[in-house]
Amino acid sequence: MELSWDLLHPVMSVPYLPTLGPLHPDALSADLLADVLAIAGTGRFLPHDKDRRWSERKDEHLLDDVHQDEHRILIPTLTGRGVLRVHLYGAPEHRPEAMETAAKLAAAHDAASARVIWFQAVPDPVAASTRVQLRTFDQPALPVGGIEHLDTLPDPVRATFGAFAEKLAGEGFAFLHSRIDSVGPVLTAVRDDRVVGAIGPMETMPDPIGRARLLPQYFGVLPEYRGLGLGRRLWRAAMHWGHANGADYQLLQTTAGGASDRLCQAEGLTDLGFVCATTV
């Protein structure tokens, strides 16, 4: 497979590589791209791949059908679940070509669905848009009272996490609950003797250049307990955990205009641009 870093880097407006997702801008390199290409289709993980904690085999891989020149690059990937994605790096006028390419490749690979992913500095007015944000830990993060580790809760209160997870299954907590014995700590907010908010798992992993990255967490508060400041307390407690456990930074992806997006913007995170997506 041929994919030129010299062509890709100039048109990369958001620090994001297919199969790896968002990255610290300093971690992007020709060597990293070569590593991604080297394991394409093998099912192996790179040692710094954040998805490694959830599976023994890499689900998404690059396909050979790369289209590239100095104006645009189209990089297709396919997952084991039959999701075909074409990642467009370049100007918006190349989007029709990306859509056509995605449709053709989906048919050729009998994919269950096809999407086009592209990158820009502002949210798209129509397509789903996710903001990539950077939080560094060069300054101390203060401890937050009233937030406790799930494992330290009294047994009856800890037992309510299952019901909490089912209510927020759409935010990924049902999946997290199914793996709760094999992941790092989960921070919780408790009201009325039950878990009503949580963020976790709290884990770090070295990035491609050896710096400690605080990995993404599932994050949510029950609807009836929103508006009380619990989300902000949970998030700040997570940032304190990251600083106390040696993290250098965290990358977050938040839905443009959503509650988590507004929170992160208010907390002063660095905006790295938007990942936009549409179904073909």
Side-chain angles (χ1 to χ4, degrees):
M1 181 189 308
E2 293 185 6
L3 183 53
S4 169
W5 174 252
D6 290 338
L7 291 177
L8 175 60
H9 193 232
V11 294
M12 182 180 286
S13 59
V14 176
Y16 185 108
L17 280 181
T19 76
L20 288 183
L23 296 151
H24 193 290
D26 294 344
L28 292 168
S29 69
D31 289 342
L32 179 59
L33 179 61
D35 289 342
V36 172
L37 295 174
I39 65 165
T42 67
R44 291 188 286 114
F45 282 104
L46 292 173
H48 47 74
D49 190 325
K50 66 183 184 302
D51 295 334
R52 186 164 56 88
R53 59 178 171 165
W54 300 122
S55 175
E56 296 180 355
R57 184 174 177 82
K58 183 68 175 177
D59 183 58
E60 185 178 21
H61 65 277
L62 270 65
L63 297 177
D64 287 332
D65 305 89
V66 173
H67 301 259
Q68 59 183 331
D69 60 28
E70 63 183 3
H71 303 295
R72 97 287 186 252
I73 294 184
L74 306 180
I75 306 175
T77 66
L78 184 65
T79 74
R81 296 163 293 168
V83 180
L84 187 289
R85 299 184 179 97
V86 170
H87 302 76
L88 166 63
Y89 295 87
E93 58 261 30
H94 301 292
R95 211 170 298 163
E97 179 192 4
M99 299 283 284
E100 181 180 355
T101 300
K104 289 180 178 178
L105 290 176
H109 291 274
D110 196 25
S113 63
R115 308 192 88 193
V116 171
I117 312 293
W118 69 94
F119 312 92
Q120 55 192 48
V122 296
D124 192 274
V126 177
S129 301
T130 302
R131 192 193 311 265
V132 179
Q133 306 193 63
L134 172 66
R135 202 287 190 191
T136 61
F137 292 98
D138 48 355
Q139 298 294 326
L142 297 176
V144 178
I147 301 299
E148 303 175 73
H149 286 210
L150 178 64
D151 287 344
T152 66
L153 297 176
D155 289 347
V157 179
R158 186 169 65 250
T160 67
F161 184 77
F164 165 83
E166 284 302 317
K167 289 183 178 179
L168 293 186
E171 279 78 14
F173 279 100
F175 173 76
L176 174 60
H177 188 231
S178 72
R179 304 291 187 93
I180 201 68
D181 294 329
S182 61
V183 296
V186 174
L187 308 181
T188 63
V190 174
R191 294 290 186 275
D192 303 320
D193 296 322
R194 63 182 179 129
V195 175
V196 301
I199 187 168
M202 305 306 303
E203 297 172 333
T204 64
M205 179 183 290
D207 75 358
I209 55 177
R211 290 185 298 186
R213 173 182 177 180
L214 180 60
L215 294 177
Q217 307 95 22
Y218 296 103
F219 177 32
V221 176
L222 292 178
E224 60 268 34
Y225 289 89
R226 292 172 187 169
L228 303 177
L230 296 179
R232 187 178 300 273
R233 294 169 69 86
L234 283 163
W235 191 82
R236 288 182 174 175
M239 297 305 100
H240 173 71
W241 188 98
H243 184 269
N245 286 272
D248 291 302
Y249 68 90
Q250 181 175 29
L251 288 165
L252 299 99
Q253 287 182 270
T254 54
T255 301
S260 295
D261 187 51
R262 296 193 300 271
L263 170 60
C264 290
Q265 288 287 284
E267 292 290 315
L269 274 69
T270 301
D271 189 334
L272 300 181
F274 289 85
V275 180
C276 304
T278 190
T279 302
V280 176

